[in-house]
Amino acid sequence: RPICPDGRPTMLTKFESKSARVKGLAFHPVRPWICASLHNGVIQLWDYRVGTVIDRFEEHEGPVRGVDFHLTEPLIVSGGDDYKIKVWDYKLRRCLFTLLGHLDYIRTVQFHPNASQFPWILSASDDQTLRLWDFQKRTCLSVLTGHNHYVMCAAFHPAEDLIVSASLDQTVRVWDTSGLRKKQSGEPAGPPPDPSLKGARAVGAAAALNVQAELFGTNDVVVKYVLEGHDRGVNWAAFHPTLPLLASAADDRQVKLWRMSETKAWEVDTLRGHANNVSCCLFHPKHDLVVSNSEDRSIRVWDVSKRVGVQTFRREGDRFWILAAHRSQNLLAAGHDSGMIVFKLERERPAAARGPGDKLYYVRGRELFCHDYAQATAGTSGVDIPIATIRRVGQQAQTDGIGSAPRFLTYNQHNPTEGNVIVCSEVDGGAYELITFSLSDASGSVTDGKRGACMGPAVFLGKNRFAVLDRHQRQVVVKNLNNETTKRVQSPVPNVDALLDGGASGRVLLRADDRVVLFEVQSRRVLGEIAAPKIKSAVWSPDGSKVALLCKYGVVIADRQLEQMCSISDTVRIKSGAWDVSPTGGTASELFIYTTLHHVKYCLPSGDTGTIRTLDQPLYAQRVVKDQMFCLDREARAKVISIDTTEARFKLALALKRYGQVMHMVRHSRLCGRAIVAYLQKKGFPEVALHFVREPKTRFRLALACGNIEAAMECAFTLEQQQEAEGSSKGNVWGELGSEALRQGNHQVVEMSYQRTKDFDRLSFLYLLTGDTEKLRKMLKISNMRQDIMGRYHNALLLGDAAERVKVLEESGNMPLAYISAKLHNLEEDAERIKIAIETNGGSVEGLLEKVPVGSKKGGCLLQPPTPIVRSDNWPTLPVQKTTLEDLEAAEATEQNGEDGYHHEETPVEDAEDTGDKNWEDDAFEEGMGGDGDDDLGFDDDGDGGWGDDLDLGDDFGIEPAKKPVDEMADLTKMSEDATFKMPTAGRPPAACWVENSSHAADHIAAGAASSAMQLLNRQIAASDFSVLKSSMIGSYIGSMMSMPGVPGSGSLSVPLLRNDVEGHPGAESLPRTSLKMKNLVTGIRSGYRFFQGGKFNDSKNAFSSVLADIPLVVADNRNEANEMKEMLEICREYITAVRIRGAMAENATNPSRSTELCAYFTHCNLQPTHLLLALRSAMGTAFKHKNYIVAASFARRLLELPDMSSQRNADLKVKATKVLQKSEQMARNEHTLNYNENATFAIDCKDFVPIYAGDNSLKCSYCGSVYSDENMKGKVCLTCNFCVVGVDTIGLVAGS
């Protein structure tokens, strides 16, 4: 890590990479990306915020010295030692075109700052020229000649028509491009053409001018100044962004400043200090500084106004070559021999502290302000009151922008009579200044000048004393308000590097390594200790009961004794945080709001977290009141933003058991979404979700979860009507309801469920258990009507009706059994009749009764229905009073009693939001609580209950014919109203947890929930043909369980395999282990590559198709794996398309035009360089054979540009390609008309294999991304992946759980 000498602050490194020597750097204007061009020919695109490589571009041969981003379009320009300028599209991840013209190494390239109006590229080269290119027309606009040695750099002025260039001829030249601008925009420029030149003379003069322009440059761009003053070659020159200043860096180890006027330019000063060649220099975009780096392994910062060096950063062993500055942020980057670093010169967090009441004290520039929130008006957060000017101390503090600004600010909360503020900075290793002022007239009587040395922030211990950390001995030094030392206390722990507020008088937090110690200074006791990595600050709640420790990547909340309450982690840096101080609502000191780089989030002491909103720029939270967050931006400007904390307040009310407040929010807030429902179920409050969920299926599940049979029945009727309308089965809903009612002993609901599902066997058994013999006899009649032999026999057996059993056996042809049954039950007449029937048919009854032991215990006896112990409507249950969350009326009564005063909390913003809900809330809740209370639970909805035909017994049974159809089941449908019972919470099997904890199809398959897995795949990637995924799904299901043999005589045990049980059993948070991993996908990809290389295209296609089918069932362990899976998805799509095009080429071998087109499309598939080489070789041969010389030349050029062509094994191919190129350039015609434009960007239609250009209508597969131009493909299965539907807009592949 670069260090700063003489105790000065270290470089604030935000990102560091390791690579080959970095020669060119460019920041993306908006995204957190930086592009680095390397000496080994590779261009890397980095995300410096997360430290990962986004992409690599590797088509240059030799070092790449210049690179730049387009301001608005997804373009990168690069120039290298291969004399080529390449323009890349980083979204398409390929080179769009190459500009040829320079005759030597290209040093720098740059897009015009106003590239939307002027599509220009500026390049500087060792051929002693600068060139201006039009990248839209792909032509050279102007050649700038004048330098007589290598041109090391060239740059546009940010706002004016100027170019600066630096050369090894020891000069800096400033060029005027206004003539070219006027020429390109159509304005008259230069002298008019000579009217005397006509005809051939005019043509000859024009040709001569073109030759002259190529050799000596044009007069469109003219030299305005030539700056001479360096003693050796100049390596770099740069414009000031706003002032008429120039900076130049040269091999004479000097940095020179130049000033320009309309007519001349002159040297202002020389900055000396580097010990070797100065490689690069630039003006800081926000401060009056020049930054330069050198081959002496240092970066130096110079004060432009004082013209002296103010800071030096050194790096051991690496020479620096290039510098870059971000356009809008305070970021710099430097490239060196072994990589690059992205860094800042100072921190941008404003120094601020909460004061008494509604006041905030902060520093802007060198001024201390008091911001009064109490005086806020519409559109403003309050009024700024200036208090004092902070003096500059030490040499370093005389220059802004290098870390001399105040870093910490502490306000004395213990002194109610006057204001005391300590401002700390990192100048000279750490310093503080004590400022005292009157609270009544803040700017009237200010006392300052009390200064001293310290390490980190200072802390007030009481009304008239404060503590600082001695940076040499690491002691806690206690001082009074006269800045006199009163006590020195040795730290109880070593390596203390900062003091933080202790939350109460006499207490202080000591930060040491990755822990914090709560220390009482007076008694020198350690009161508590907590571990937290990379702690930055501590924020105490208004009542002092809790503290939030802000870490670099997390928040730890503890109580006042430093006992941890919860800990959360984040993937991006935490910037600031503040506790809610709302006077009503019960959220004060319970809700913590914190900000990251781009989000506002919340955290509760229970550990619940969530995201509230996004941010365009980082903000630093200072105060939270209701739905407003007061904050400071990086310029220390006070702002107020609106936030919606409804979700946080809802979770907090649940955690604190404020059920009246919970139900108020259920009725008056917009709480919805699966996340809230899942949260309520996870926390054991499904009855809350039941109040606001209206979707019948979800509501049915919730009602079952909380044992609410009435609500479940209501939903079951609704679902039944929907399923009848759709023509689907209705048994599953009533079956689940019956199972839950059986668990609660509500046999009348069980009876109705069995009736709805026509589950006759269970219904008969239920009547047997309840002792309802009359209904059991009716079940016998029903089974007789249905001609159900087994049903009749079972019902007769349950009734103890021996004659009926004999009759059933006789009618079913079981004569021997009928005879035995009749004899055993002394039915002699029936036995005699059956005996005659048996003998008539040639049988005999002799010996039949010998097989039945009569008169012994093993002998048969007549079974009679058991007498029930209790005859009642339902089985006896213990009455359980409804909880507040179940009983809405009770909750409303509690709410009206004014619990927590929550109903007074609504802000005008919330009122405005609620007005849209007034029209439906009351009606919805009446429906949800059974407002339609007269719903008949019988089976009269369809007139005859659905069973009327079975019960139409007619005259055959001697029953009087009815005047109208009689429902024999009418007596079975009576239900009691006292079915109130709440079952205790039961445990859940692992498979049920897996489905709830994950939204990944693989986890649902592992749990055996194939239907929900297929629904997920259909919603996420529009999968429809699951036969392709069958083997992968079965493998995921089988691989999630392990069978373990049990004790002898018992079955095997199925043991779930978990993937998150490393640190112990996860309980309800468990997730299954899946059989498919990333390594399976990598193996499949490699197999596809190997088959493709060997020309086994069908095998290659099968390998890539197999990977496509496996990807949806692979669970990524982290974000990198998820990104790799999406890259593999693109690889499979490209290679399958390539193989299909290859097959089409074979089919169209006799059609020269079509085969050439297909060869061309084949080369535009995103293949590996070695495979692209084979594709280009084949396409070049096919096009040349069919005499399509223009495209053959194009293929030959692309082939020669590939990096692999420089290897010895491709020497023969290189010679052949060169000959084809020469021959094609001579012929320069296509024999056939081709539907192919090599200069345009296009996608390939995966059905017809034709190009689809930008702007053309097309459809996409939501999974693999295959593109189709045929509108008829909408709703059909994709031809690439073979299982997803084309033209459906979905969320796409979900890689993680």
Side-chain angles (χ1 to χ4, degrees):
R1 178 181 173 87
I3 60 172
C4 200
D6 305 327
R8 292 178 180 174
T10 59
M11 177 187 291
L12 298 174
T13 304
K14 294 298 179 182
F15 166 68
E16 187 165 0
S17 73
K18 298 293 183 183
S19 64
R21 181 185 301 169
V22 176
K23 301 295 289 183
L25 287 172
F27 280 102
H28 192 282
V30 178
R31 296 183 178 179
W33 295 351
I34 187 168
C35 194
S37 59
L38 310 183
H39 196 265
N40 62 3
V42 177
I43 302 171
Q44 294 179 333
L45 184 57
W46 289 86
D47 186 324
Y48 55 79
R49 192 173 63 190
V50 296
T52 57
V53 176
I54 299 172
D55 215 334
R56 294 162 59 93
F57 306 98
E58 304 183 11
E59 291 189 17
H60 277 287
E61 297 176 1
V64 185
R65 300 179 186 273
V67 68
D68 191 28
F69 275 107
H70 194 283
L71 196 60
T72 55
E73 296 181 17
L75 299 179
I76 297 173
V77 62
S78 62
D81 286 6
D82 53 3
Y83 313 167
K84 297 175 182 176
I85 299 171
K86 288 182 176 288
V87 176
W88 313 77
D89 189 315
Y90 56 75
K91 284 188 176 178
L92 299 177
R93 304 174 65 184
R94 65 183 182 86
C95 177
L96 297 180
F97 55 87
T98 302
L99 300 174
L100 300 176
H102 279 296
L103 306 176
D104 209 336
Y105 297 171
I106 297 170
R107 294 286 177 172
T108 63
V109 289
Q110 184 190 3
F111 284 109
H112 194 281
N114 187 8
S116 58
Q117 184 177 359
F118 301 104
W120 297 353
I121 292 174
L122 173 64
S123 59
S125 170
D126 285 0
D127 63 7
Q128 305 180 13
T129 67
L130 292 77
R131 285 180 181 252
L132 280 167
W133 311 81
D134 187 320
F135 65 82
Q136 288 183 350
K137 299 177 181 177
R138 305 182 189 180
T139 57
C140 181
L141 296 175
S142 183
V143 182
L144 283 60
T145 59
H147 286 293
N148 53 30
H149 210 308
Y150 299 166
V151 184
M152 299 300 289
C153 93
F156 287 107
H157 192 282
E160 300 179 16
D161 294 329
L162 297 177
I163 290 174
V164 64
S165 61
S167 170
L168 294 188
D169 63 6
Q170 304 180 15
T171 67
V172 176
R173 288 176 179 250
V174 179
W175 311 76
D176 187 345
T177 61
S178 57
L180 182 63
R181 174 181 59 79
K182 294 177 181 178
K183 179 179 179 181
Q184 292 297 311
S185 59
E187 300 177 29
D194 189 348
S196 62
L197 296 177
K198 296 182 180 179
R201 293 182 62 194
V203 175
L209 283 174
N210 289 338
V211 173
Q212 178 185 359
E214 184 67 26
L215 293 176
F216 306 108
T218 64
N219 58 359
D220 295 332
V221 182
V222 297
V223 177
K224 192 170 185 180
Y225 317 116
V226 178
L227 309 179
E228 297 177 336
H230 283 287
D231 298 330
R232 292 193 179 181
V234 186
N235 292 317
W236 204 265
F239 285 113
H240 192 284
T242 56
L243 300 176
L245 293 177
L246 276 170
S248 60
D251 287 347
D252 59 6
R253 308 176 184 178
Q254 297 175 357
V255 177
K256 288 184 178 290
L257 296 177
W258 313 79
R259 182 174 290 275
M260 302 180 297
S261 68
E262 286 298 321
T263 56
K264 63 178 181 177
W266 64 94
E267 181 181 336
V268 175
D269 209 343
T270 301
L271 308 176
R272 296 178 176 87
H274 281 293
N276 206 335
N277 301 340
V278 187
S279 308
C280 186
C281 67
L282 53 81
F283 288 96
H284 194 284
K286 292 191 174 183
H287 297 286
D288 209 11
L289 302 172
V290 169
V291 184
S292 63
N293 64 5
S294 164
E295 295 179 40
D296 65 2
R297 303 177 178 85
S298 74
I299 299 175
R300 289 180 179 265
V301 183
W302 315 84
D303 189 321
V304 174
S305 59
K306 300 180 181 60
R307 299 167 191 172
V308 294
V310 292
Q311 227 172 31
T312 304
F313 304 111
R314 300 190 188 278
R315 188 177 183 90
E316 297 299 327
D318 292 320
R319 297 167 295 175
F320 285 101
W321 298 102
I322 186 69
L323 280 169
H326 198 285
R327 292 175 184 267
S328 58
Q329 299 182 25
N330 187 19
L331 285 176
L332 300 170
H336 51 76
D337 282 336
S338 60
M340 66 167 171
I341 50 176
V342 177
F343 62 98
K344 291 181 179 180
L345 295 180
E346 69 173 355
R347 286 183 170 85
E348 297 177 281
R349 182 192 307 273
R354 184 169 57 89
D358 297 331
K359 292 182 171 57
L360 172 72
Y361 294 89
Y362 67 93
V363 177
R364 184 195 306 145
R366 288 286 166 183
E367 291 287 331
L368 174 64
F369 287 92
C370 172
H371 189 79
D372 191 351
Y373 292 119
Q375 302 183 39
T377 58
T380 65
S381 61
V383 177
D384 284 335
I385 304 170
I387 295 178
T389 301
I390 300 172
R391 298 181 183 179
R392 300 175 186 266
V393 180
Q395 180 181 358
Q396 181 187 355
Q398 305 306 311
T399 301
D400 289 330
I402 58 171
S404 60
R407 178 82 195 282
F408 308 106
L409 189 148
T410 309
Y411 181 83
N412 189 359
Q413 298 282 1
H414 310 291
N415 191 350
T417 58
E418 65 177 1
N420 308 123
V421 168
I422 295 180
V423 180
C424 302
S425 66
E426 295 179 339
V427 175
D428 298 334
Y432 70 87
E433 179 178 355
L434 174 62
I435 301 173
T436 302
F437 52 90
S438 170
L439 291 177
S440 57
D441 185 10
S443 59
S445 56
V446 178
T447 305
D448 59 0
K450 299 181 179 66
R451 301 180 182 87
C454 69
M455 183 177 185
V459 176
F460 283 100
L461 297 177
K463 179 178 180 180
N464 54 8
R465 57 198 176 104
F466 63 93
V468 295
L469 183 65
D470 186 285
R471 68 170 181 260
H472 300 295
Q473 300 178 355
R474 303 296 173 94
Q475 292 179 334
V476 179
V477 181
V478 181
K479 299 190 175 188
N480 58 26
L481 295 185
N482 294 322
N483 207 22
E484 299 167 344
T485 301
T486 60
K487 184 187 296 185
R488 283 181 174 268
V489 180
Q490 189 63 39
S491 168
V493 292
N495 302 325
V496 175
D497 58 3
L499 302 182
L500 301 174
D501 186 11
S505 175
R507 293 184 177 188
V508 66
L509 291 174
L510 307 178
R511 185 181 71 186
D513 298 327
D514 282 344
R515 58 178 175 155
V516 167
V517 175
L518 181 59
F519 183 61
E520 192 171 64
V521 177
Q522 186 67 29
S523 61
R524 306 189 182 189
R525 289 185 304 149
V526 173
L527 302 179
E529 181 177 333
I530 193 170
K534 299 181 180 178
I535 300 169
K536 292 165 41 175
S537 61
V539 183
W540 286 89
S541 61
D543 61 1
S545 63
K546 301 177 186 66
V547 61
L549 302 175
L550 299 185
C551 307
K552 191 172 185 179
Y553 293 103
V555 178
V556 178
I557 295 182
D559 61 15
R560 68 190 313 270
Q561 299 301 328
L562 228 57
E563 292 291 332
Q564 180 173 317
M565 302 176 72
C566 75
S567 174
I568 62 166
S569 59
D570 212 317
T571 55
V572 294
R573 299 187 183 192
I574 309 294
K575 288 297 179 184
S576 66
W579 289 92
D580 188 290
V581 294
S582 303
T584 59
T587 56
S589 302
E590 296 290 346
L591 172 61
F592 185 71
I593 306 294
Y594 66 96
T595 65
T596 64
L597 274 172
H598 296 291
H599 290 93
V600 178
K601 301 185 177 184
Y602 69 84
C603 174
L604 302 178
S606 60
D608 292 316
T609 64
T611 301
I612 295 176
R613 61 169 290 169
T614 58
L615 296 174
D616 297 329
Q617 295 294 332
L619 294 176
Y620 300 89
Q622 305 297 331
R623 189 170 184 261
V624 177
V625 180
K626 295 184 180 178
D627 283 344
Q628 289 184 316
M629 185 177 79
F630 300 89
C631 49
L632 296 175
D633 61 13
R634 282 180 161 170
E635 282 71 39
R637 302 286 179 183
K639 293 187 175 182
V640 56
I641 63 172
S642 61
I643 56 176
D644 185 359
T645 57
T646 304
E647 179 184 316
R649 288 188 272 111
F650 179 74
K651 292 181 178 180
L652 180 63
L654 265 181
L656 298 179
K657 299 182 180 179
R658 298 171 179 165
Y659 297 135
Q661 184 173 336
V662 169
M663 300 316 300
H664 182 278
M665 297 186 72
V666 166
R667 299 205 62 170
H668 299 287
S669 300
R670 293 182 179 178
L671 286 169
C672 59
R674 295 183 180 178
I676 286 290
V677 174
Y679 173 82
L680 290 168
Q681 286 189 287
K682 176 182 174 183
K683 293 294 184 181
F685 295 108
E687 60 270 24
V688 178
L690 196 61
H691 286 305
F692 63 85
V693 172
R694 287 290 165 266
E695 198 275 317
K697 195 168 185 179
T698 307
R699 184 173 171 79
F700 178 75
R701 304 288 180 201
L702 290 170
L704 291 184
C706 58
N708 191 331
I709 297 297
E710 292 87 349
M713 277 197 301
E714 178 190 348
C715 297
F717 283 119
T718 305
L719 288 171
E720 183 183 44
Q721 294 173 1
Q722 293 180 358
Q723 290 168 351
E724 286 177 353
E726 296 169 1
S728 58
S729 174
K730 63 182 179 181
N732 188 39
V733 173
W734 289 108
E736 293 180 26
L737 177 60
S739 299
E740 178 60 28
L742 193 60
R743 289 176 64 244
Q744 296 190 19
N746 191 334
H747 67 79
Q748 292 170 333
V749 177
V750 178
E751 177 186 354
M752 185 188 66
S753 300
Y754 291 165
Q755 290 171 354
R756 289 277 175 173
T757 56
K758 297 188 178 181
D759 195 339
F760 301 108
D761 294 337
R762 283 191 172 93
L763 194 56
S764 297
F765 195 68
L766 177 69
Y767 291 149
L768 174 70
L769 294 180
T770 56
D772 199 335
T773 309
E774 187 64 31
K775 290 183 179 178
L776 195 55
R777 293 189 185 280
K778 292 187 178 182
M779 292 301 299
L780 177 61
K781 295 178 182 179
I782 291 170
S783 59
N784 190 18
M785 280 291 304
R786 295 176 58 247
Q787 298 181 353
D788 181 4
I789 300 297
M790 288 305 299
R792 283 178 62 192
Y793 188 81
H794 283 154
N795 283 302
L797 188 64
L798 298 177
L799 283 168
D801 190 343
E804 182 68 20
R805 295 211 306 271
V806 171
K807 185 177 180 181
V808 171
L809 291 172
E810 186 179 359
E811 291 179 359
S812 62
N814 292 291
M815 292 298 189
L817 287 176
Y819 177 75
I820 294 172
S821 181
K823 291 294 287 183
L824 287 177
H825 294 92
N826 295 323
L827 301 174
E828 295 297 341
E829 294 182 2
D830 294 333
E832 190 64 29
R833 188 182 70 253
I834 295 169
K835 177 180 177 182
I836 296 171
I838 292 175
E839 291 175 350
T840 304
N841 292 324
S844 175
V845 296
E846 294 181 5
L848 288 178
L849 292 177
E850 295 176 1
K851 300 177 182 179
V852 181
V854 180
S856 64
K857 290 184 179 181
K858 294 184 179 180
C861 61
L862 181 62
L863 292 176
Q864 291 295 333
T867 302
I869 300 173
V870 178
R871 290 184 182 273
S872 64
D873 292 333
N874 275 326
W875 293 334
T877 55
L878 179 66
V880 178
Q881 186 178 2
K882 288 185 178 182
T883 65
T884 306
L885 294 176
E886 290 178 302
D887 193 352
L888 185 61
E889 287 74 16
E892 287 175 340
T894 308
E895 176 195 332
Q896 290 168 5
N897 290 336
E899 180 178 331
D900 295 326
Y902 182 78
H903 52 284
H904 298 297
E905 185 189 340
E906 304 297 330
T907 63
V909 177
E910 288 176 333
D911 291 340
E913 292 178 351
D914 284 343
T915 55
D917 302 338
K918 302 290 186 185
N919 297 328
W920 57 266
E921 277 178 348
D922 295 336
D923 296 336
F925 267 88
E926 286 172 9
E927 293 172 9
M929 294 307 297
D932 192 7
D934 296 329
D935 190 6
D936 186 5
L937 297 180
F939 301 108
D940 299 320
D941 298 316
D942 48 5
D944 56 358
W947 291 2
D949 294 337
D950 291 344
L951 298 179
D952 189 7
L953 306 179
D955 295 331
D956 295 338
F957 291 85
I959 300 176
E960 288 291 328
K963 296 181 180 179
K964 61 179 180 178
V966 178
D967 185 0
E968 297 288 344
M969 298 296 294
D971 295 335
L972 309 184
T973 60
K974 296 179 181 177
M975 304 226 18
S976 63
E977 299 297 327
D978 57 349
T980 301
F981 177 70
K982 180 183 178 185
M983 289 292 291
T985 304
R988 290 179 297 167
C993 300
W994 299 347
V995 172
E996 181 181 334
N997 294 339
S998 175
S999 60
H1000 200 286
D1003 294 332
H1004 286 241
I1005 279 291
S1011 60
S1012 64
M1014 289 189 283
Q1015 286 177 357
L1016 283 175
L1017 290 174
N1018 180 261
R1019 292 171 187 156
Q1020 294 166 359
I1021 60 174
S1024 63
D1025 187 358
F1026 293 98
S1027 61
V1028 180
L1029 304 175
K1030 182 178 179 181
S1031 60
S1032 301
M1033 295 171 82
I1034 292 175
S1036 296
Y1037 173 66
I1038 295 175
S1040 64
M1041 288 286 186
M1042 176 180 68
S1043 182
M1044 187 170 65
V1047 297
S1050 67
S1052 299
L1053 300 176
S1054 292
V1055 180
L1057 300 175
L1058 307 181
R1059 67 171 182 265
N1060 59 341
D1061 59 351
V1062 178
E1063 299 177 354
H1065 196 283
E1069 305 294 329
S1070 66
L1071 289 170
R1073 187 171 298 178
T1074 52
S1075 58
L1076 291 172
K1077 299 289 185 184
M1078 279 293 295
K1079 62 182 180 181
N1080 302 98
L1081 303 182
V1082 173
T1083 302
I1085 293 286
R1086 288 176 178 170
S1087 299
Y1089 283 161
R1090 186 169 61 253
F1091 290 135
F1092 194 91
Q1093 183 80 17
K1096 300 178 181 178
F1097 295 111
N1098 286 333
D1099 293 339
S1100 175
K1101 181 183 177 184
N1102 292 336
F1104 286 115
S1105 297
S1106 176
V1107 174
L1108 271 184
D1110 288 345
I1111 286 176
L1113 297 176
V1114 176
V1115 182
D1117 293 333
N1118 49 55
R1119 186 177 298 175
N1120 290 337
E1121 282 196 2
N1123 293 334
E1124 288 177 18
M1125 285 169 57
K1126 292 177 181 177
E1127 289 180 9
M1128 290 180 181
L1129 192 62
E1130 296 180 4
I1131 291 171
C1132 293
R1133 180 194 68 220
E1134 294 295 324
Y1135 273 85
I1136 291 173
T1137 304
V1139 171
R1140 293 181 60 228
I1141 292 176
R1142 184 77 184 180
M1145 289 163 56
E1147 295 174 1
N1148 292 274
T1150 57
N1151 185 343
S1153 173
R1154 183 58 177 163
S1155 61
T1156 307
E1157 288 176 359
L1158 291 171
C1159 287
Y1161 305 151
F1162 189 53
T1163 65
H1164 282 266
C1165 295
N1166 192 5
L1167 308 178
Q1168 294 292 314
T1170 54
H1171 302 154
L1172 183 60
L1173 185 145
L1174 299 175
L1176 286 170
R1177 183 182 69 181
S1178 171
M1180 180 182 70
T1182 303
F1184 191 78
K1185 180 177 70 175
H1186 294 314
K1187 299 182 181 181
N1188 294 313
Y1189 296 112
I1190 296 177
V1191 292
S1194 169
F1195 297 144
R1197 287 192 202 96
R1198 290 174 60 189
L1199 190 60
L1200 292 172
E1201 290 174 0
L1202 290 178
D1204 290 351
M1205 291 299 291
S1206 58
S1207 63
Q1208 186 61 35
R1209 69 174 182 274
N1210 293 323
D1212 294 340
L1213 179 59
K1214 187 173 184 178
V1215 172
K1216 183 177 179 180
T1218 305
K1219 291 181 179 178
V1220 169
L1221 180 60
Q1222 292 174 352
K1223 178 68 174 177
S1224 299
E1225 287 176 343
Q1226 291 173 2
M1227 305 303 291
R1229 290 289 186 276
N1230 278 341
E1231 184 72 16
H1232 306 93
T1233 302
L1234 304 177
N1235 183 16
Y1236 172 61
N1237 182 3
E1238 64 168 319
N1239 297 322
T1241 302
F1242 62 84
I1244 300 173
D1245 187 325
C1246 291
K1247 179 186 177 186
D1248 300 325
F1249 302 127
V1250 294
I1252 302 176
Y1253 297 100
D1256 293 349
N1257 293 329
S1258 62
L1259 301 171
K1260 259 192 177 184
C1261 173
S1262 57
Y1263 171 54
C1264 65
S1266 299
V1267 186
Y1268 301 90
S1269 60
D1270 187 358
E1271 290 293 334
N1272 295 327
M1273 280 299 294
K1274 187 168 185 178
K1276 295 183 179 179
V1277 175
C1278 175
L1279 301 177
T1280 302
C1281 61
N1282 291 319
F1283 62 88
C1284 291
V1285 174
V1286 176
V1288 180
D1289 190 13
T1290 68
I1291 196 173
L1293 178 67
V1294 175
S1297 60

